[in-house]
Amino acid sequence: RAIGRLYLESGELDKALAAFDRGLQRQPKFVAVMLDRADTLSRMNRSNDAVAQMLVAEKLAPDSAEVQFRLGDVYQGAKRYTEAERAYLKAISLAPKNPLPYNNLAWMLVVSGGDAKRAVEFATKAVDLSPRSSPLLDTLGWAQRAAGDLNAAQASLKRAIESEPNVASYHYHLGIVQR
């Protein structure tokens, strides 16, 4: 698994996939390798294969919050938003103190044209769980913008920038809100 992750981190996706495949030949029920393999497939724009891999992992670990969270990510990448939402909500039910499923669900609702008010609720919960996280504050600001609350959006985005001033996307989002 470690070799596959090194290849994945260096962007050598074909080599990463081959390493994960070798790992699964040796240990066919190794869920962590399945998650990494699905991530690799997603990065290779092989969404259907990534979803298929994640569904195998889900069968082996149906009550794993990590599996549900990563399944949500894979579905979101495949633009299968209904399934992504269901997976994120299950991840939330399994690990209600993890801010990431709340955040990703909020972001997905905003970028897919979903319910902006629900997005604000999920993003707010994520920030409540991790109040100093700039990425979560950025999502909250972007959701608040989508819901029409520009003052709150500006405040959230400024907090994100204060914490991490060198992230261009935060400045871009603030610029859009201010415009």
Side-chain angles (χ1 to χ4, degrees):
R1 176 172 182 221
I3 292 171
R5 296 222 21 102
L6 287 173
Y7 284 132
L8 183 60
E9 291 169 12
S10 69
E12 298 179 74
L13 301 179
D14 289 328
K15 289 180 180 180
L17 185 61
F20 295 136
D21 286 345
R22 284 191 302 276
L24 287 174
Q25 286 173 350
R26 283 186 227 119
Q27 291 183 289
K29 295 183 178 184
F30 194 175
V31 172
V33 174
M34 291 179 189
L35 299 179
D36 290 338
R37 185 174 187 276
D39 185 31
T40 304
L41 291 165
S42 288
R43 292 182 193 196
M44 297 172 87
N45 295 317
R46 293 175 53 186
S47 297
N48 291 334
D49 293 333
V51 167
Q53 180 65 79
M54 287 303 304
L55 292 175
V56 172
E58 182 185 34
K59 284 183 183 176
L60 293 170
D63 294 326
S64 165
E66 178 69 14
V67 169
Q68 292 302 319
F69 173 68
R70 302 272 294 269
L71 180 59
D73 284 348
V74 168
Y75 277 136
Q76 182 177 345
K79 296 184 178 10
R80 293 170 60 174
Y81 300 125
T82 301
E83 290 117 319
E85 181 173 346
R86 185 171 46 245
Y88 286 139
L89 289 171
K90 187 167 182 183
I92 288 167
S93 73
L94 293 167
K97 293 187 180 190
N98 181 350
L100 297 179
Y102 295 99
N103 182 73
N104 287 23
L105 179 52
W107 185 261
M108 183 191 74
L109 288 170
V110 171
V111 300
S112 69
D115 185 340
K117 289 182 182 177
R118 279 184 72 220
V120 170
E121 290 172 15
F122 287 119
T124 298
K125 180 64 176 178
V127 169
D128 287 347
L129 291 167
S130 186
R132 294 190 179 129
S133 172
S134 296
L136 303 184
L137 287 163
D138 178 61
T139 297
L140 176 58
W142 206 233
Q144 290 164 327
R145 178 210 52 88
D149 190 348
L150 299 182
N151 291 329
Q154 187 170 351
S156 296
L157 292 166
K158 283 182 177 180
R159 283 181 54 206
I161 291 168
E162 286 171 11
S163 183
E164 286 189 76
N166 295 326
V167 179
S169 62
Y170 303 165
H171 291 276
Y172 172 75
H173 290 160
L174 180 58
I176 294 293
V177 167
Q178 289 174 334
R179 189 189 69 186

